[in-house]
Amino acid sequence: MTVPLLPSLRRLLRAMLIALLVLLLSPYLLTPLYRVVQPVSTLMLWRWVTGARVVHVTVPLDRISPALSVAVIVAEDARFCSHHGIDWQGLQEAIEDADDLSEARGGSTITQQVAKNLFLWPGRSVVRKVLEFPLALWIDLVLPKRRIMEIYLNIAEWGPNGEFGAEAASRWAFGRSARDLTWREAALLAAILPNPVRRSARLPGPAVRRLAALYEARALRGVPLAACVGGARLPGPVPTPGPIERAPGIWPGFGR
């Protein structure tokens, strides 16, 4: 009685294998399209499907204050312009400070976060990291750094109630367009990126204000770190900051 079931079982397994391969390969096929097509994140898609609120306005990088790119780089990924999707040095340091890869903090680059936001899921797991690494390398290979930053700033979750992207974040937190962000406001937005639901740039608590002060000072010194993003106008003259005390566990502050 079981013999006739074998061909059907084989067909089912073959179909499942093909579906899995398509699922795994689709991000690699989609990524080159994102040179010109503005993507949305998996979290945005999930919120739309479940009927949750989504506020998202896509704007080109030229219409986002360059201060935000600098602040995000110094806060999340100081070697963004020099690595190729994965900061192996930062990852090694993060793993050494953790018991295993799933608990490692501080090793996730901006490119890895783009890979996670576009194609994967939030939370920490070895499986997600294993999928994330080759995706980050591929994204860095096929997309210029400027475009990676543009995508990141437009899909990052930046508010407590479905605010995604720099424009929605800036209007919610400060009542102004992202193109008009000051150094201080850009630093506040960078400071809440690890957890925009619990942290607020609109009503920052002491911890967020402290981080923002550090990131603002480092951004004023770290403008060259964002050279690969391209230079538009910066929001006013760049003053020369005084000595900055290094805060343990924050610099280079690679996000998640």
Side-chain angles (χ1 to χ4, degrees):
M1 296 294 293
T2 59
V3 174
L5 294 177
L6 290 178
S8 298
L9 182 59
R10 290 195 189 99
R11 286 195 295 270
L12 177 61
L13 291 175
R14 188 181 302 115
M16 292 174 61
L17 179 60
I18 292 173
L20 179 61
L21 288 174
V22 170
L23 186 64
L24 292 175
L25 292 177
S26 58
Y28 296 90
L29 300 176
L30 288 172
T31 298
L33 300 178
Y34 292 156
R35 276 180 168 265
V36 294
V37 176
Q38 182 59 43
V40 296
S41 70
T42 53
L43 184 54
M44 276 190 277
L45 289 173
W46 176 253
R47 291 181 67 91
W48 277 323
V49 168
T50 58
R53 181 174 183 263
V54 174
V55 181
H56 177 239
V57 181
T58 299
V59 293
L61 196 60
D62 288 340
R63 287 174 51 193
I64 299 175
S65 170
L68 186 58
S69 295
V70 180
V72 165
I73 286 175
V74 300
E76 299 274 288
D77 185 358
R79 287 182 279 268
F80 174 70
C81 287
S82 59
H83 65 62
H84 297 290
I86 298 175
D87 182 2
W88 298 108
Q89 179 182 340
L91 179 62
Q92 181 179 355
E93 293 169 356
I95 293 175
E96 289 173 353
D97 292 337
D99 292 332
D100 56 48
L101 182 60
S102 65
E103 296 181 1
R105 296 180 59 86
S108 184
T109 66
I110 287 172
T111 313
Q112 286 176 255
Q113 292 178 53
V114 168
K116 178 196 71 176
N117 290 341
L118 288 182
F119 304 118
L120 302 173
W121 60 90
R124 297 184 215 162
S125 72
V126 173
V127 174
R128 199 203 77 194
K129 283 293 183 184
V130 168
L131 296 173
E132 185 182 283
F133 283 4
L135 273 173
L137 294 171
W138 176 245
I139 289 170
D140 189 85
L141 179 66
V142 301
L143 298 180
K145 293 285 189 180
R146 180 176 173 84
R147 179 58 177 153
I148 293 171
M149 177 61 70
E150 185 174 62
I151 291 174
Y152 181 65
L153 295 183
N154 273 289
I155 65 172
E157 185 182 15
W158 241 315
N161 191 22
E163 290 84 10
F164 291 87
E167 185 69 16
S170 181
R171 291 190 179 278
W172 178 83
F174 311 116
R176 66 172 73 198
S177 171
R179 73 187 306 164
D180 298 320
L181 287 169
T182 64
W183 288 99
R184 178 63 173 176
E185 291 165 345
L188 282 167
L189 289 178
I192 69 168
L193 270 174
N195 194 334
V197 176
R198 297 185 62 182
R199 299 182 183 185
S200 174
R202 189 176 188 173
L203 298 170
V208 170
R209 291 196 299 269
R210 174 174 168 269
L211 274 179
L214 287 168
Y215 292 159
E216 181 182 8
R218 288 167 179 165
L220 295 175
R221 284 184 168 180
V223 171
L225 294 175
C228 64
V229 174
R233 55 160 186 86
L234 286 169
V238 179
T240 302
I244 303 171
E245 181 181 354
R246 174 171 175 157
I250 300 177
W251 182 255
F254 294 92
R256 298 157 295 289

